[in-house]
Amino acid sequence: MKYALLGDIHANYEALTAVVEKAEEIGVDRYICMGDIVGYNADPAECLEFVRRLDPEAVIRGNHDEYASTNNDLMGFNPQAAWAVEWTRENITDDHKAWLKKLPYQAVLNAKVTLVHATLDMPSKWGYIFDKWNAEASFNYQRTPVCFCGHTHVPVAFDKFGGIDTDHYRELVLAPGHKYLINVGSVGQPRDGNPDAALVIYSPEERKVELHRIPYDIAACQEKIRRAGLPERCAVRLAEGR
Ligand SMILES: [Fe+2]
């Protein structure tokens, strides 16, 4: 069994289709979507439709999914993110919003793998896991050997018992008896300095997690952002991977 984990797609259709093309080439069996399908970039409706057609094993709710599908106050969002949320509210349908509203904050697959967008200690408060202290708080609520998360757009892995702190990984072989918290990075807005889209492949039988980075047509995505009148910063940051 091979799962493709798609994190923080953020309405970037060019990145999403490039990543799925690679996943198909690798021969994945099922998709898992780690939340934030919408926000920042200009193709929220297209990305929602595309993800739904993938028929994922699980789709987790991200903060942008929540705010774009409700009229919740945007206090706490930075100005560009808030602008993009408001734009997204106008550019997805009521059916998209109803679907987003049903997404769970977390899920457990086969009693073995936990999925959450932000943190397990407060999944609906959208805290960030930047360091081992943040990871420790989440580990306290992790009942499975592996938890995948997203939200920071930075692919890192923590091992509660193995001393891996903020380790940028390419390939992990999961040791029995350990406890892992693995951020899958971002498809549509990477922030680790590498602009290529992130794709994580998880093979439970082989106990393997691989991170692939996929180049895509950034210029086409930027052009759509500018045409939509979304913040210029949203376009610029894609090329910087920040
Ligand atoms: Fe995000």
Side-chain angles (χ1 to χ4, degrees), residues 8 10 35-36 38 40 63-64 117 150-153 186 189 191:
D8 291 87
H10 281 301
D36 276 4
V38 303
Y40 291 118
N63 49 322
H64 284 256
H117 183 68
H151 198 38
T152 62
H153 303 200
S186 173
Q189 193 194 75
R191 296 181 191 160

Side-chain angles (χ1 to χ4, degrees), residues 32-117:
I32 291 171
C33 181
M34 298 300 303
D36 276 4
I37 299 170
V38 303
Y40 291 118
N41 301 311
D43 278 330
E46 292 75 5
C47 288
L48 282 166
E49 298 291 339
F50 193 91
V51 165
R52 284 161 69 164
R53 280 198 301 274
L54 292 175
D55 185 27
E57 178 95 14
V59 183
I60 302 302
R61 174 195 299 239
N63 49 322
H64 284 256
D65 303 324
E66 178 166 295
Y67 282 84
S69 61
T70 61
N71 290 318
N72 293 357
D73 190 88
L74 293 167
M75 202 166 56
F77 271 78
N78 75 49
Q80 292 104 17
W83 177 351
V85 169
E86 281 170 350
W87 183 91
T88 303
R89 284 173 178 169
E90 303 291 315
N91 285 278
I92 59 175
T93 66
D94 288 344
D95 174 58
H96 293 144
K97 289 180 189 177
W99 185 82
L100 287 171
K101 275 186 201 162
K102 283 193 215 133
L103 299 179
Y105 286 106
Q106 57 183 299
V108 176
L109 284 186
N110 312 321
K112 285 193 178 118
V113 179
T114 307
L115 309 168
V116 71
H117 183 68

Side-chain angles (χ1 to χ4, degrees), residues 176-198:
H178 287 231
K179 202 173 194 182
Y180 297 91
L181 175 59
I182 301 166
N183 190 308
V184 300
S186 173
V187 171
Q189 193 194 75
R191 296 181 191 160
D192 61 343
N194 178 353
D196 293 344

